[in-house]
Amino acid sequence: MQSSLRVALVQEASGLDPAANRARLDALVPDGADLVVLPEAFARDFGEAGSDVSGYAEPVDGPFATELERVAAARGTTAVAGMFEAGPDTARPYNTLVVRGGAHAAYRKVHLYDSFGYRESDRLTAGDPEPLVVEVAGTRVGLMTCYDLRFPELARLLVDRGAEVLVVPAAWVAGERKVDHWRTLVRARAIENTVFVVACGQPGPRYSGHSLVVDPLGDVLAEAGDDAAVLTAELCPEALEQARRTNPSLANRRL
């Protein structure tokens, strides 16, 4: 990290009308941040469990990504948000994060949510397991989506590619133990990799909320509750360097 990275997490629910979700971007993306993170599936919510979302898939240069880019440019920031991306299997699009503004990229969710009674793979196609790291204001940022958080291998691959911050947009379904799992896993990915983790979820009641910013020693710098909220935090390079001196686990690993 060359300098502090100012981040904003927009914990807002997406609706079932893509045009309405696009129209909200201008009001939701704040000024004054280097990086703004919105949740998974913000372009259009999943709908009821098992719903066919293929009719809402767009290309990564389609209406949602184009508006996100316009708003990010107007704010002088880099914005990350989730959408359904049209792919070769027209019945099963990708669950994709688009990065627009100061950086330009797209990350297709690798681990689909076939867990806790859900079957995301029935309706979506998994992306290739290729770690994606982008540079935002001199900081290396690795991308993950929701269920990816439960797979430490992906986080480590991102850090091996230089990630200093992991960004995790999510629609973490509410339920028994779910907030506890979310908080534990976000902190674990930060601690074991000595990186910042910026995890932005959709709010309750359907989802778990509790968006988090965690530092490389696992301290929570900011946390939302269940409801819609905007969090801000400053990620300082000195904290990253100090954490890696205090806990040089990356240097000490033998596998």
Side-chain angles (χ1 to χ4, degrees):
M1 299 179 69
Q2 296 179 4
S3 59
S4 293
L5 186 75
R6 300 166 299 167
V7 299
L9 291 72
V10 181
Q11 180 173 289
E12 283 280 342
S14 63
L16 299 180
D17 181 349
N21 293 330
R22 285 197 306 275
R24 296 166 62 206
L25 288 171
D26 196 45
L28 289 175
V29 173
D31 288 311
D34 302 304
L35 176 65
V36 177
V37 183
L38 292 97
E40 175 187 22
F42 192 78
R44 199 268 183 182
D45 188 51
F46 289 92
E48 293 186 11
S51 295
D52 180 359
V53 297
S54 61
Y56 304 98
E58 302 179 12
V60 291
D61 59 355
F64 181 77
T66 298
E67 177 63 3
L68 186 69
E69 182 154 24
R70 185 194 71 78
V71 172
R75 302 291 186 277
T77 191
T78 297
V80 181
M83 59 172 278
F84 300 121
E85 178 197 353
D89 184 344
T90 57
R92 296 166 60 243
Y94 297 111
N95 183 341
T96 298
L97 300 178
V98 284
V99 183
R100 293 293 184 268
H104 191 284
Y107 166 71
R108 295 167 176 167
K109 186 178 181 182
V110 171
H111 301 96
L112 299 182
Y113 187 49
D114 290 358
S115 188
F116 289 90
Y118 289 81
R119 288 280 307 170
E120 193 173 19
S121 63
D122 288 345
R123 294 298 188 182
L124 295 168
T125 296
D128 293 332
E130 181 66 23
L132 179 61
V133 177
V134 298
E135 186 167 307
V136 177
T139 297
R140 301 280 288 168
V141 175
L143 298 171
M144 305 170 68
T145 305
C146 200
Y147 191 50
D148 284 335
L149 185 65
R150 293 185 182 270
F151 298 86
E153 303 87 352
L154 179 57
R156 180 53 57 89
L157 287 170
L158 289 165
V159 171
D160 282 347
R161 293 202 174 188
E164 300 156 310
V165 178
L166 301 179
V167 166
V168 191
W172 197 267
V173 177
E176 186 178 5
R177 305 184 188 90
K178 295 300 289 294
V179 171
D180 185 49
H181 283 196
W182 166 256
R183 296 186 81 257
T184 300
L185 290 164
V186 171
R187 296 187 67 228
R189 298 296 86 85
I191 294 165
E192 69 198 5
N193 292 295
T194 52
V195 289
F196 292 98
V197 179
V198 175
C200 182
Q202 292 205 40
R206 180 174 184 187
Y207 300 106
S208 296
H210 285 267
S211 297
L212 289 167
V213 181
V214 179
D215 80 4
L217 288 177
D219 292 333
V220 175
L221 302 181
E223 179 173 1
D226 297 335
D227 299 329
V230 177
L231 298 180
T232 59
E234 189 168 329
L235 314 186
C236 300
E238 294 80 12
L240 184 74
E241 295 161 7
Q242 180 60 47
R244 291 184 173 179
R245 286 194 297 268
T246 301
N247 176 28
S249 57
L250 293 177
N252 290 341
R253 59 195 263 230
R254 300 183 65 195
L255 294 174

